[in-house]
């Protein structure tokens, strides 16, 4: 008999358990972390008594929990988006920040905040951010589709960086001219999780769910695509449609993450890179693994950002950049020989 | 790394008389076909009916359009004119998954994906048979086991594909298309870059699939002599058009070879089978290489 394959659930059981345990531990540590020392006895009480009588309870339920939930969601989205981009483009350096999805989403949010043509409901923000991500990455793809080396990793990354620079320049210009918007978005633009509201989390939930379910459904097609365009077509997986679905889902996920805690780099790169044998085996279990890894990585980064210079806090995005950029350089040295 | 002997079967020529009980029905044909890349038309005016239950080879000089013809037959390239018919219906209008259950394709030298075991790669051939949620079923498992047994690679199931030799990799790829369980198989140069033992093993396997498993196989081959020993039907392509279609290797004459390949050749019969073998003809005995 041949070993377990296809769905691949069994093969990743140990790694999945490990990743889940890691996320749970980080979650627990993060809840306990903060300038105010909340005694452990408060926690069991939270389960039974929801009256906002005590200040400890208020801190946990309204300050720490939303922040941690937002970080978990954004990290999961970035990990899944990175995996989608890397498998759909067959490019191990694919990542929402480098390929321009984050810059597109940021630009969309900044434009809508600075020039509110219609009063935009909170619930529409993740969709607007996703649309921005999709449009900018669409432009990156249109530019890199020509020539013999269609969608070669170097081309896609080059145009991703170039268009990100352009979008970021527009963001800077808008913010310099509009101080109100700058005040509102200053920290968010660096990737900041402090002060996330429950309403923002609820608003992002639909796009996160659609993105993750869509990603899970497109996994078998991406597995066929990993054999090359011609074999994928021979197996009956339409290459164009598969790529389009994967990129739409990546845009929804990046947009959700950006709308929650701003443009965060490198989590989408590092989460799949933790499991180097997964790239040619897209499956629902593999997606779950990178999703959990992304959540764990961003939780760890957020914990460090909040604690390393306590009581002062660093923006989370600054920390992921500090850790992620060297990983990116290492991957470039290894991949693009 | 462990060296694995790739020659599982000795050289053998199967008796021609034995035919499979039933030929899996699926008919592939092309009418007034033209196709190409960009502005360049590579093949034109192709009328071709693939004989079910036969091993058909496409032969011709480099750049003659054999691979382009195969790609068009496999719906990888859209036709510029005319159409490819699979069981009477235009292949480009049928759902691609439905086509993938009838027609399997192995492109030339596919890149080997990193980190996959033999069984995992062969299992990818099950894609068109799996439902919406793509659950791995017992039938999938059986198809993979059978495909690996046919090519003699069952003992390599848990080995990394990257660790295999060229001949073994080719068997893995063929197993993958076999796991797809299609009546029709289109293979682009399945023996190129293989040593003679591996070429013999692969061609013997293809013949066995045709004779005993009712498959219909079309492949592009470069080695004219090897093709003549194993195939049933021969389609000679030159400058993008079909020059000759021959239904018996013994009807392949020096004149045809000369016309198609622009080279002079001497035909000698194979000492055991009498099938033709072509050798280069020199202007005079002195002109022969020392």
């Amino acid at each position: 008999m041949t070993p377990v394959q296809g769905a691949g659930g069994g093969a990743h059981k140990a790694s999945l358990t490990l990743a889940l345990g890691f996320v749970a531990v980080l979650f627990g540590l993060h809840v306990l972390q903060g300038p105010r020392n909340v005694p452990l006895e408060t926690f069991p009480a939270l389960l039974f008594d929801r009256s906002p009588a005590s200040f400890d309870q208020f801190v946990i339920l309204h300050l720490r929990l939303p922040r941690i939930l937002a970080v978990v969601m954004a990290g999961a989205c970035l990990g899944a988006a990175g995996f989608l981009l890397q498998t759909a483009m067959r490019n191990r350096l694919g990542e929402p920040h480098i390929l321009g999805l984050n810059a597109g989403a940021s630009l969309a949010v900044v434009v809508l905040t600075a020039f509110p043509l219609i009063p935009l409901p909170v619930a529409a923000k993740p969709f607007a951010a996703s649309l921005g991500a999709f449009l900018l990455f669409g432009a990156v793809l249109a530019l890199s589709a020509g020539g013999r080396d269609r969608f070669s990793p170097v081309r896609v990354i080059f145009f991703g960086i170039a268009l990100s620079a352009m979008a970021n320049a527009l963001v800077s210009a808008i913010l310099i001219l509009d101080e109100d918007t700058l005040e509102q978005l200053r920290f968010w633009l660096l990737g900041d999780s402090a002060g996330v509201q429950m309403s923002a989390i609820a608003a992002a939930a639909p796009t996160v769910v659609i993105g993750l379910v869509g990603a899970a459904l497109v996994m078998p097609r991406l597995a066929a695509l990993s054999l090359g365009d011609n074999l994928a077509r021979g197996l009956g997986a339409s290459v164009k449609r598969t790529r389009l679905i994967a990129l739409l889902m990546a845009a929804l996920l990046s947009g959700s993450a950006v709308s929650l805690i701003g443009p965060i780099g490198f989590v989408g790169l590092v989460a799949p890179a933790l499991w180097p044998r997964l790239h040619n085996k897209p499956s629902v279990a593999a997606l779950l693994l990178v999703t959990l890894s992304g959540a764990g990585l961003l939780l760890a980064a957020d914990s460090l950002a909040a604690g390393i210079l306590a009581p002062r806090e660093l923006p989370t995005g600054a920390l992921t950049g500090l850790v992620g950029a060297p990983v990116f350089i290492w991957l470039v040295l290894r991949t693009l020989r | 790394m462990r060296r694995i002997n790739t020659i599982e079967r000795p050289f053998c020529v199967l008796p021609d008389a034995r035919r499979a009980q039933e030929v899996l029905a699926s008919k592939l044909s092309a009418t007034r076909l033209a196709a190409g890349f960009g502005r360049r038309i590579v093949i034109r005016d192709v009328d071709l009916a693939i004989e079910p239950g036969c091993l058909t080879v496409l032969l011709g000089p480099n750049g003659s359009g054999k691979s382009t013809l195969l790609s068009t037959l496999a719906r990888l390239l859209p036709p510029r004119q005319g159409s490819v018919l699979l069981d009477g219906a235009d292949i480009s209008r049928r759902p691609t998954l439905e086509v993938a259950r009838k027609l399997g394709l192995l492109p030339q030298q596919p890149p080997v994906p990193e980190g996959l075991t033999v069984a995992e790669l062969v299992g990818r051939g099950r894609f068109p048979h799996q439902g919406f949620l793509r659950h791995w079923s017992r039938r999938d498992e059986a198809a993979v086991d059978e495909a690996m047994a046919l090519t003699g690679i069952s003992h390599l199931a848990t080995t990394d594909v990257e660790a295999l030799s060229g001949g073994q990799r080719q068997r893995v790829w063929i197993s993958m298309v076999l796991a797809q369980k299609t009546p029709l198989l289109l293979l682009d140069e399945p023996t190129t870059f293989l040593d003679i033992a591996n070429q013999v093993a692969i061609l013997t396997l293809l013949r066995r699939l045709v004779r005993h498993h009712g498959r219909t196989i079309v492949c592009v081959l470069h080695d004219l002599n090897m093709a003549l020993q194993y195939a049933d039907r021969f389609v000679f392509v030159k400058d993008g058009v079909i020059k000759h279609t021959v239904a018996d290797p013994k009807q392949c004459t020096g004149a045809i070879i000369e016309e198609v390949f622009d080279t002079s050749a001497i035909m000698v019969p194979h000492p055991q089978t009498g099938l033709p073998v072509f050798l280069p003809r020199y202007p005079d005995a002195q002109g022969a290489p020392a």
Side-chain angles (χ1 to χ4, degrees):
Chain A
M1 290 304 277
T2 47
V4 183
Q5 50 173 315
H12 299 309
K13 221 169 232 169
S15 316
L16 277 172
T17 317
L18 183 77
L20 193 65
F22 191 60
V23 171
V25 168
L26 285 168
F27 195 106
L29 287 176
H30 208 329
V31 172
L32 294 175
Q33 181 189 9
R36 187 180 171 85
N37 220 338
V38 179
L40 277 174
E41 302 88 76
T42 321
F43 290 91
L46 278 177
L47 295 175
F48 308 110
D49 175 23
R50 285 293 164 81
S51 62
S54 87
F55 187 60
D56 282 344
Q57 282 196 17
F58 176 82
V59 166
I60 298 295
L61 285 178
H62 295 276
L63 293 179
R64 291 186 191 173
L65 216 52
R67 172 185 186 151
I68 297 170
L69 277 178
V71 165
V72 167
M73 272 166 87
C77 286
L78 291 169
F83 191 56
L84 281 169
L85 290 168
Q86 292 178 16
T87 49
M89 306 304 296
R90 284 197 292 271
N91 176 355
R92 294 208 171 185
L93 301 171
E95 201 255 328
H97 208 60
I98 295 161
L99 298 188
L101 289 96
N102 279 356
S106 309
L107 180 60
V109 171
V110 169
V111 165
L112 286 172
T113 315
F115 313 105
L117 296 177
I118 43 160
L120 197 71
V122 182
K125 196 168 141 192
F127 284 100
S130 302
L131 185 67
F134 184 73
L135 290 179
L136 197 85
F137 190 52
V140 170
L141 288 182
L143 285 169
S144 42
R148 187 171 295 179
D149 51 347
R150 248 172 101 76
F151 301 136
S152 80
V154 183
R155 273 174 96 99
V156 179
I157 290 169
F158 175 79
F159 287 117
I161 291 171
L163 289 188
S164 291
M166 223 161 83
N168 288 333
L170 280 173
V171 165
S172 302
I174 293 171
L175 293 181
I176 291 293
L177 298 174
D178 183 349
E179 271 184 39
D180 287 350
T181 311
L182 177 64
E183 259 329 292
Q184 276 183 59
L185 299 180
R186 203 157 58 119
F187 288 103
W188 172 85
L189 270 173
L190 285 170
D192 187 40
S193 59
V196 175
Q197 306 276 313
M198 268 299 182
S199 60
I201 291 173
T207 45
V208 174
V209 171
I210 297 170
L212 286 177
V213 170
L217 290 177
V218 82
M219 282 294 139
R221 285 164 186 284
L222 287 173
L225 198 65
S226 74
L227 302 177
D229 289 2
N230 282 342
L231 266 171
R233 286 194 193 104
L235 288 172
S238 159
V239 172
K240 260 190 202 161
R241 204 179 307 159
T242 305
R243 282 221 168 100
L244 184 70
I245 297 172
L247 302 178
L248 261 173
M249 296 309 143
L252 277 174
L253 292 166
S254 313
S256 316
V258 169
S259 80
L260 277 168
I261 61 173
I264 297 266
F266 301 108
V267 173
L269 182 78
V270 179
L274 286 176
W275 315 98
R277 283 182 65 93
L278 233 53
H279 277 87
N280 288 316
K281 301 184 203 179
S283 66
V284 177
L287 177 73
L288 210 57
L289 194 53
V290 288
T291 304
L292 282 172
S293 306
L297 281 171
L298 199 57
L299 264 176
D302 195 59
S303 249
L304 275 179
I308 207 165
L309 294 178
R312 303 182 66 190
E313 281 196 19
L314 285 173
T316 314
L319 207 93
T320 61
L322 278 175
V323 180
V327 177
F328 179 66
I329 291 168
W330 176 70
L331 280 174
V332 169
L333 291 175
R334 237 187 40 165
T335 318
L336 306 177
R337 265 167 297 181
Chain B
M1 195 180 52
R2 196 159 60 97
R3 234 2 241 157
I4 298 137
N5 185 17
T6 56
I7 311 162
E8 262 96 39
R9 272 179 299 279
F11 181 89
C12 67
V13 179
L14 292 169
D16 248 353
R18 258 190 82 189
R19 284 268 156 199
Q21 301 271 311
E22 48 159 352
V23 170
L24 300 168
S26 249
K27 283 186 178 160
L28 189 66
S29 63
T31 47
R32 313 297 300 162
L33 196 65
F37 305 91
R39 280 188 200 156
R40 206 160 58 92
I41 298 289
V42 180
I43 52 164
R44 61 208 141 79
D45 291 328
V46 170
D47 282 296
L48 181 66
I50 301 299
E51 186 69 24
C54 278
L55 173 53
T56 302
V57 287
L58 307 182
L59 289 160
N62 294 330
S64 58
K66 331 180 269 301
S67 287
T68 306
L69 174 55
L70 196 81
S71 297
T72 316
L73 289 176
R75 75 185 175 319
L76 292 192
L77 268 184
R80 289 300 169 75
Q81 270 169 36
S83 54
V84 176
L85 301 179
L86 177 62
D87 292 333
D90 191 332
I91 199 169
S92 58
R93 303 238 171 102
R94 301 183 66 158
T96 180
L97 268 173
E98 195 187 300
V99 173
R101 288 192 285 266
K102 296 194 163 185
L103 185 153
L105 165 78
L106 182 58
Q108 201 177 330
Q109 295 272 308
V112 173
E114 283 173 54
L116 288 190
T117 65
V118 168
E120 281 171 333
L121 185 49
V122 175
R124 295 277 164 92
R126 298 304 295 162
F127 177 81
H129 296 278
Q130 293 171 317
F132 187 61
L133 291 171
R134 320 267 164 193
H135 271 300
W136 189 251
S137 71
R138 198 163 283 184
R139 272 175 63 193
D140 296 325
E141 192 79 33
V144 169
D145 284 342
E146 191 198 334
M148 291 195 299
L150 273 171
T151 57
I153 54 165
S154 302
H155 61 296
L156 299 175
T158 53
T159 314
D160 265 18
V161 181
E162 284 169 290
L164 301 180
S165 70
Q168 291 167 331
R169 282 185 193 187
Q170 194 59 24
R171 285 165 192 249
V172 175
W173 285 119
I174 292 177
S175 302
M176 196 210 81
V177 266
L178 288 180
Q180 206 175 330
K181 287 251 175 197
T182 55
L184 271 159
L185 287 173
L186 270 51
L187 315 171
D188 197 354
E189 297 196 20
T191 57
T192 305
F193 301 118
L194 298 186
D195 60 38
I196 186 160
N198 276 308
Q199 289 186 40
V200 166
I202 297 234
L203 288 168
T204 308
L205 167 70
L206 297 187
R207 235 169 105 119
R208 218 153 60 94
L209 290 169
V210 168
R211 295 284 183 279
H212 305 308
H213 298 265
R215 309 283 182 112
T216 303
I217 299 180
V218 184
C219 63
V220 173
L221 287 182
H222 258 299
D223 193 322
L224 171 68
N225 289 326
M226 278 295 196
L228 287 166
Q229 308 311 307
Y230 289 92
D232 303 307
R233 297 173 76 84
F234 306 84
V235 176
F236 289 95
V237 184
K238 188 187 184 186
D239 299 331
V241 294
I242 293 180
K243 288 279 181 193
H244 294 280
T245 307
V246 180
D248 175 0
K250 289 187 176 162
Q251 284 169 13
C252 289
T253 60
I256 293 179
I257 303 307
E258 225 170 299
E259 184 195 344
V260 173
F261 290 96
D262 286 322
T263 185
S264 195
I266 301 176
M267 196 272 272
V268 285
H270 188 284
Q272 285 176 298
T273 61
L275 292 171
V277 173
F278 287 93
L279 299 171
R281 180 197 296 276
Y282 305 110
D284 52 71
Q286 279 77 42

